[in-house]
Amino acid sequence: LQVDLWQPSSPFHIIEGTVTDVRVSQNTTRSLLPYLQQANIPYTILIPDLQKAIENQTGLRSYRNRRSLSEYNYEVYHSLEEIQDWMHHLNRTHSDLVHMFSVGKSYEGRPLYVFKLGKRSRPYKKAVWIDCGIHAREWIGPAFCQWFVKEALQTYQTDPAMRKMLTQLYFYIMPVFNVDGYHFSWTNDRFWRKTRSKNTRFHCHGVDANRNWKVKWCDEGASFHPCDDTYCGPFPESEPEVKAVAHFLRKHRKQIKAYLSFHAYAQMLLYPYSYKYATIPNFNCVESAAYNAVNALQSAYGIRYRYGPASSTLYVSSGSSMDWAYKNGIPYAFAFELRDTGHFGFLLPETLIKPTCTETMLAVKNITLHLLKKCH
């Protein structure tokens, strides 16, 4: 039986006995389901009409564009243009705590905006780097980055923990790392993952921006083939987005003490290494921070995150930003895999933005406050 189907992971992650998500055209469904039944393959229909679910998230554009920035809705997904307008607005209206700058330009020439968030209380302060949206289709990431900024600005005066964080630390926040891919996921392909650089030989676009870093580049868990979702690129830092952020992090590596990257989906809190099964030198400090963070997260809605080294908790992958940050002297490097565990997957409904961000905020605050204590 020949079927037209698509799966979100790279083919080498499909292992007998494990669950695999597939996207099936309506025409195929009638012939595929009887085949699965005859072959005694268990299946569950997670989203009956995927196209409708996509349109629910990307629709109502004119309504959204009419809203003023002062009434910005943090419980819906926003296009790249809306997010960048929001950044400009906060830069103008909250200059006491917010400073916006660009670390470079994307392949298609878009600015790579970053917020520097914090009270200018002293000349030198430790810092935390936060990025969202390395993978274009993981929309809950940029939604969380915006939520974090909103919470910081709204609770700075009333929450002693937030005041302490913004007084003693700077936060560098990049709401959309992969700007070209994110824009493309809104306009062309909701499930696009990679950047949008061109490969003339294979006529395939994009590189996996989380396989393009100079740490065990293109080893296990990455692909040399330009058409694959986990394509590592022609060389490390081939993508201007990765090169720009790596340059910034290298330049500020003495100041930056934590690197937090937000992905979806799996409900996990991961730390190095991704590329090998080995224990990091400061394991006790990092493990204790992760343990406390997932407990704080669970206290909101009872959602339990798994935590541990990425290689054994999720899968082995090389050339990741988290491993690179750790190898370059940032002692606390984490990657969050936000909700859910696969029912909605990348199409996490907007109704779940608030609970997801609320619980994640508790984990991030916990990690940040952990940084301000001595850990031996």
Side-chain angles (χ1 to χ4, degrees), residues 163 241 281:
R163 179 177 281 276
E241 300 87 351

Side-chain angles (χ1 to χ4, degrees), residues 190-201:
R190 175 64 184 83
F191 295 97
W192 187 257
R193 169 182 167 99
K194 300 188 284 181
T195 62
R196 291 297 299 161
S197 53
K198 289 191 178 78
N199 185 295
T200 46
R201 189 173 160 217

Side-chain angles (χ1 to χ4, degrees), residues 210-258:
N210 206 34
R211 302 289 185 277
N212 192 233
W213 299 72
K214 197 172 184 176
V215 54
K216 276 289 179 194
W217 175 78
C218 224
D219 208 314
E220 189 178 349
S223 170
F224 273 115
H225 199 289
C227 297
D228 285 347
D229 259 358
T230 54
Y231 175 46
C232 57
F235 53 88
E237 295 181 27
S238 62
E239 303 312 282
E241 300 87 351
V242 173
K243 190 179 178 69
V245 172
H247 174 73
F248 180 85
L249 292 174
R250 271 193 294 264
K251 194 174 163 187
H252 296 85
R253 78 173 99 193
K254 287 183 180 172
Q255 178 194 19
I256 296 171
K257 300 301 175 189

Side-chain angles (χ1 to χ4, degrees), residues 134-135 193 208-213 263 317-322:
I134 280 185
H135 292 142
R193 169 182 167 99
D208 185 339
N210 206 34
R211 302 289 185 277
N212 192 233
W213 299 72
H263 295 258
S317 65
S318 56
S320 75
S321 66
M322 178 183 71

Side-chain angles (χ1 to χ4, degrees), residues 72-88:
Y72 196 80
N73 188 350
Y74 292 88
E75 295 180 37
V76 298
Y77 295 117
H78 289 279
S79 68
L80 181 67
E81 292 79 6
E82 288 169 346
I83 293 171
Q84 292 186 340
D85 286 348
W86 166 82
M87 292 184 80
H88 282 290

Side-chain angles (χ1 to χ4, degrees), residues 8-214:
S9 329
S10 295
F12 51 77
H13 291 318
I14 299 177
I15 303 160
E16 189 175 348
T18 62
V19 175
T20 301
D21 292 342
V22 293
R23 188 173 89 194
V24 186
S25 72
Q26 272 187 321
N27 297 337
T28 303
T29 308
R30 283 187 291 274
S31 54
L32 179 63
L33 296 188
Y35 170 78
L36 293 174
Q37 287 160 356
Q38 286 165 20
N40 208 22
I41 299 170
Y43 67 89
T44 306
I45 297 171
L46 298 176
I47 303 173
D49 191 333
L50 195 62
Q51 185 60 38
K52 191 175 177 184
I54 292 168
E55 287 166 3
N56 284 344
Q57 289 186 358
T58 55
L60 304 171
R61 305 307 308 144
S62 58
Y63 162 67
R64 289 192 188 176
N65 288 338
R66 282 201 301 270
R67 282 202 301 251
S68 70
L69 276 164
S70 58
E71 297 165 0
Y72 196 80
N73 188 350
Y74 292 88
E75 295 180 37
V76 298
Y77 295 117
H78 289 279
S79 68
L80 181 67
E81 292 79 6
E82 288 169 346
I83 293 171
Q84 292 186 340
D85 286 348
W86 166 82
M87 292 184 80
H88 282 290
H89 175 74
L90 291 187
N91 190 49
R92 285 193 307 271
T93 56
H94 291 78
S95 55
D96 55 328
L97 287 173
V98 172
H99 167 63
M100 186 175 86
F101 61 97
S102 170
V103 292
K105 287 203 167 165
S106 70
Y107 179 84
E108 294 179 342
R110 294 182 174 89
L112 302 171
Y113 287 131
V114 175
F115 269 157
K116 183 181 184 181
L117 183 65
K119 197 76 184 161
R120 296 179 190 88
S121 49
R122 59 185 87 157
Y124 174 84
K125 292 204 295 184
K126 292 177 185 175
V128 175
W129 171 276
I130 295 176
D131 64 50
C132 298
I134 280 185
H135 292 142
R137 62 196 178 194
E138 299 167 10
W139 287 8
I140 188 61
F144 173 73
C145 264
Q146 292 173 88
W147 190 277
F148 180 89
V149 173
K150 165 190 79 86
E151 285 293 301
L153 297 178
Q154 287 180 357
T155 66
Y156 170 70
Q157 299 288 355
T158 54
D159 177 10
M162 185 60 77
R163 179 177 281 276
K164 184 178 181 182
M165 285 160 56
L166 295 184
T167 303
Q168 297 189 24
L169 297 163
Y170 281 125
F171 290 85
Y172 292 110
I173 299 162
M174 191 176 199
V176 188
F177 184 112
N178 177 9
V179 288
D180 297 346
Y182 186 72
H183 178 75
F184 190 77
S185 74
W186 274 83
T187 57
N188 291 72
D189 179 356
R190 175 64 184 83
F191 295 97
W192 187 257
R193 169 182 167 99
K194 300 188 284 181
T195 62
R196 291 297 299 161
S197 53
K198 289 191 178 78
N199 185 295
T200 46
R201 189 173 160 217
F202 285 91
H203 303 290
C204 289
H205 285 266
V207 165
D208 185 339
N210 206 34
R211 302 289 185 277
N212 192 233
W213 299 72
K214 197 172 184 176

Side-chain angles (χ1 to χ4, degrees), residues 252-279:
H252 296 85
R253 78 173 99 193
K254 287 183 180 172
Q255 178 194 19
I256 296 171
K257 300 301 175 189
Y259 172 90
L260 308 179
S261 191
F262 289 85
H263 295 258
Y265 55 92
Q267 293 176 191
M268 293 177 181
L269 176 54
L270 308 170
Y271 51 81
Y273 299 103
S274 294
Y275 68 87
K276 64 178 178 180
Y277 299 106
T279 303

